[in-house]
Amino acid sequence: MDVHAPSLDTATSVSLDLYRALRLPRAVEDKMLRLIRQNRISKWFSGYGQEAIAVGCAWAAEERDWLLPMHRNLGLWTTRGVPLRPLFCQVLGKEGGFTKGRDRTFHFGLPEHRIVGMISHLAAMLPVADGLGLASTLKGEDAVAIAFTGEGATREGDFHEALNLATVWSLPVVFVVENNGYGLSTPTSDALPVEDLADAAQGYGMPGVVVDGNDVESVIENIRSASDHARRGEGPTLLEMKTFRVRGHEEASGTKYVPQDLIAEWEARDPVEAFRRRLLSRGIAAADLDAIDTQLAEEIEEVAEWALKQPEVVSTPDAEAADVFAPTPLAPAVPASSTRSDVRFIDALSEGLADAFEADDSVVLMGQDVAEYGGVFKVTAGFLDRFGADRIRNTPIIESGALGCALGLALDGFRPVVEMQYADFITCGFNQIVNNLATTHYRWGAPVPVTIRAPFGGGIGAGPFHSQSPEAWFCHVPGLKVVVPATPADAKGLVRSAIEDNNPVLVFEHKALYRSLRGEVPEGEHRVPIGSARVARSGDDLTIVTWGVGVGWALDLADQLASSASIEVVDLRTLVPWDRETVLASVHKTHRVLVVHEASRTSGFGAEIAAEISEVAFRDLDAPAVRVGGADLPIPFSKGIESDVYSGRARLADAARSLLAF
């Protein structure tokens, strides 16, 4: 006799618990569908007929494992024990939900339950699972990240980048593809050229398994097997769960585009009813199952009706604005004991990075060629030897995958730094930055301490794909901070402050300054507060507001015109949040303002500054607020065309003289 085999009573109890877990989301579905028919709610993304996947995955996972569900995975939340009352308030948009009315259904995380919900951009959370898996590895834990996506999203780049990175780094991640037969209305067969998506695993060197997604016990068995594989350090697994969406993409869209015989075929394979029949065949009494059905139906009815009576979510402008950024305690000021002169911009930047690594073991660097090679500009040369391969990590060419991975690391206590090889390539990770990193804290309160380093700007004859100044794109996105150092001292201090900030910060580093600009740099600990401008030169006749390489242009111009005009130069240093007080104080003194930037003039960030000055300080102005920027052209390869035609520097002196003479 096997003394470890469960007794009949224990086996029966476990079976009944599993049935209850499977039946609970179905009871919620039943209630929601009634509410739709009663016109008491307007929208519901149904997982009816797919419950075995969410329930089975959550049932099989350990409490320490991370789960990254999608919008049809209600059963994952309920199986993880998320309280029903706030959960109903969340899905119904009532006061008492988890996101303060800022996002819908399952677009949020509950770290206490080890759940990280989705954003609407499908497959975007798969690289986040890589980051959570990497965090587990770096901490020496054996937690697994189980991430969901639909079959349609397997054509997106994030799917492939996530699978590739997970295999290259042998991460403890289980990728679950719910193949439910349709996108919104497009059959899978019209969108995908293969029968079994699990075959894609072969291209990444990981196991791929096709699973009956309507068989909850098969789901559990395969999740446990894949998780054990990951815990042994053997890397990720791709599980394709075959199921079917028998309801509309969302309830209002209906299912007219689906052949009715196909729906009938899958309804006969309903996972809840199939498991019920299996339990009956094992001798479990129908009365016991009926009692569970009745009890859950009554409970859900009571909770749903209670939630519907809760007040609508209300707020104030101040409360909403206060949650865009996570609070960041100010580091204690450390007076510089001494300074060094003639320090290159690149060396000061590298020093600030190294100081952050020395001070905090949770700082991790990722990017293309950042390890042995030291980055294409050699900013991180020698870091691999100093800080080790766990913390200095080369990635494949996967901007989006690396940024998503950084979010996962940040959610589990790390402070990742991601280097974009060139700022021009940041477009490949745009979605992760503006829709994932930027929104997370506002939506569900998690701090996101991710630093993105972006070498940018022209002046080196690198042509249209290695010379852009894209900072204005990100200044438009609430939730991101944007800094642009213009001096070696600020390069050291701003990158240190960025890494210690609890929000996503983009650090734009001008390539032309790396080795051409030298200056004084404080020794030892040095930070520059984010959001604080500096007056780089005092003057009385004209204020030039600028940042980055524009600071040097402005100072040169001030020297040229010194005999005829006194020009004040304000170096913003931070674009978001920008220092309005310092700028407005300067305008109040000089009564004239010129805003200068390297990026194209149209919709450059200078337009925001000029508009704010005109609106708030109009009475201080003796002349219009003027902008000088690059021409509205792609940046040419020819240095002569760039300097004489594209660059605003060529138009700066004339603009200043005209403004002074106004």
Side-chain angles (χ1 to χ4, degrees), residues 46-69:
S46 176
Y48 202 104
Q50 299 179 213
E51 295 93 343
I53 298 173
V55 171
C57 288
W59 185 274
E62 302 290 341
E63 286 187 8
R64 61 189 179 279
D65 293 338
W66 288 95
L67 302 175
L68 294 88

Side-chain angles (χ1 to χ4, degrees), residues 324-325 471-484 501 504-506 530-532 572-580 605 608:
V324 172
F325 291 114
E471 66 270 23
W473 299 346
F474 302 99
C475 296
H476 185 68
V477 180
L480 300 176
K481 296 186 179 183
V482 180
V483 303
V484 189
D501 201 286
V505 182
L506 286 90
I530 291 176
S532 173
L572 277 188
R573 302 198 289 196
T574 300
L575 303 189
V576 180
W578 66 281
D579 186 348
R580 286 165 172 79
F605 190 67
E608 171 65 24

